[in-house]
Amino acid sequence: MNSLPDAGNGKVTVPDILNRKTFLAAHLGDTSRRIACLSAYDYPTARLLDEAGVDILLVGDSLGMVVLGYESTLPVTIEELLHHARAVRRGAQRALVVADMPFGSYHVDLSEGLRNAVRFVKEAGAEAVKVEGGERRIELIARLAEIEIPVMGHIGLTPQSLHALGGYRVQGRTPATAEQLLRDAHAVEAAGAFAVVLEAMPRELAAEITRELSIPTIGIGAGPDCDGQVLVLHDMLGLTFRPQPKFARRYADLGREIARAAQEFGADVRSGRFPSDQESYHARPAAPQERLLARKPN
Ligand code: KIV
């Protein structure tokens, strides 16, 4: 495991995320350095999350469902993700920016996957990419590590596998599937990933994976024993329109707040309460001679 010093200016780097694992392993019970990760899709939220001290901003392909209104993450294109990753990059000073590789951008052939990952680094300023899948992705992860693009793995419920999994279901509940997830976690680590997302699995299994790996685990619906946690921003802010999974704790109800503000605005416009005189510009009192000159025909 790497133990490079951090950049010295508070900037969260890939080696810093790896060092958190060393710290957490060495200080069992001290959870103060757990990794806080949220998804982000635009400049203002990236700035707010960055300034609030979130460690990792993940430009997730959840973009498709929570921002673009798709039914699943499958239709998200690389151009859409690049566009949003650039905006997040502009808003992030301190946090590590990780871009999710969308479905189809690394599935068909290895060199296409590598080229697309390079685009995220070159064109969007991403500092790492995330790919879904365990053992199936070892070649891609190893090649990305070789060309020095840090990779975050993602195992368990991988939403891009929606059709193969037959729905969004908790994974690893039987001994055989739990064994497979353990193998996936080890494969992702051995291939060179610097962290791995564990999504929707029993907390006992996530705890076992976390104990066995020397890279940090970042859980979502995987219980409290991971080295970090990630949530989809719109879920935690109450900006979604679907029933939420039980792990998606709601920290704010911005949906209700936005609706209230829009209703109030509409009522003010219709009643003439908006804008007020103070919210209007006023003409400068012009000298009578200036006005005469302005009126004079040429
Ligand atoms: O797309 C996303 O936001 C994600 C997180 C849920 C891990 O993959």
Side-chain angles (χ1 to χ4, degrees):
M1 187 181 309
N2 205 320
S3 57
L4 286 174
D6 68 26
N9 54 6
K11 171 80 186 94
V12 180
T13 62
V14 165
D16 182 51
I17 295 297
L18 274 163
N19 282 338
R20 300 276 191 103
K21 179 76 178 197
T22 320
F23 177 92
L24 287 160
H27 300 82
L28 285 175
D30 179 351
T31 58
S32 62
R33 297 197 62 194
R34 279 190 178 152
I35 299 156
C37 174
L38 283 171
S39 66
Y41 317 97
D42 60 32
Y43 175 82
T45 48
R47 245 192 104 152
L48 290 166
L49 303 182
D50 187 80
E51 287 167 13
V54 171
D55 299 305
I56 301 179
L57 300 186
L58 170 66
V59 193
D61 63 355
S62 48
L63 165 80
M65 297 175 79
V66 299
V67 174
L68 303 179
Y70 296 145
E71 274 301 305
S72 74
T73 59
L74 299 179
V76 177
T77 65
I78 186 149
E79 298 304 333
E80 286 167 337
L81 248 158
L82 278 166
H83 174 76
H84 286 268
R86 284 187 207 106
V88 168
R89 176 69 274 171
R90 289 191 284 270
Q93 293 278 317
R94 172 189 171 273
L96 185 77
V97 175
V98 180
D100 217 355
M101 296 200 53
F103 178 66
S105 68
Y106 58 97
H107 298 74
V108 178
D109 99 37
L110 187 62
S111 48
E112 192 188 11
L114 296 174
R115 262 195 299 278
N116 284 331
V118 168
R119 289 192 72 189
F120 279 111
V121 175
K122 266 183 112 72
E123 297 176 32
E127 294 157 289
V129 296
K130 176 165 84 58
V131 296
E132 295 187 5
E135 285 185 323
R136 290 191 299 278
R137 299 290 169 245
I138 53 177
E139 208 182 344
L140 175 67
I141 296 174
R143 292 292 306 280
L144 287 169
E146 203 179 292
I147 61 169
E148 295 174 318
I149 296 184
V151 185
M152 179 181 275
H154 183 163
I155 64 168
L157 168 51
T158 45
Q160 292 174 11
S161 321
L162 170 65
H163 299 311
L165 295 176
Y168 299 116
R169 301 211 172 92
V170 178
Q171 302 295 302
R173 278 188 151 149
T174 65
T177 53
E179 274 306 313
Q180 180 58 53
L181 285 178
L182 268 166
R183 281 198 296 277
D184 284 336
H186 280 288
V188 161
E189 165 167 290
F194 74 95
V196 60
V197 170
L198 307 181
E199 179 161 353
M201 64 180 70
R203 68 172 283 185
E204 297 78 10
L205 174 60
E208 191 178 344
I209 294 174
T210 301
R211 272 195 308 276
E212 289 196 9
L213 294 194
S214 56
I215 57 171
T217 59
I218 301 181
I220 175 161
D225 304 307
C226 300
D227 299 306
Q229 296 290 331
V230 57
L231 281 179
V232 170
L233 183 69
H234 288 51
D235 292 349
M236 68 161 276
L237 295 182
L239 281 173
T240 47
F241 300 92
R242 306 167 191 255
Q244 294 303 296
K246 70 171 173 185
F247 61 77
R249 186 183 294 180
R250 186 171 276 200
Y251 284 84
D253 196 352
L254 296 195
R256 190 195 291 251
E257 195 44 22
I258 290 172
R260 186 205 54 74
Q263 279 162 12
E264 202 173 310
F265 169 73
D268 283 355
V269 168
R270 286 174 208 117
S271 68
R273 285 193 302 270
F274 178 83
S276 66
D277 186 55
Q278 288 84 348
E279 288 158 326
S280 307
Y281 294 111
H282 294 91
R284 239 185 268 123
Q289 217 173 344
E290 259 179 65
R291 303 199 68 163
L292 273 177
L293 281 174
R295 278 205 209 138
K296 221 177 180 173
N298 285 330

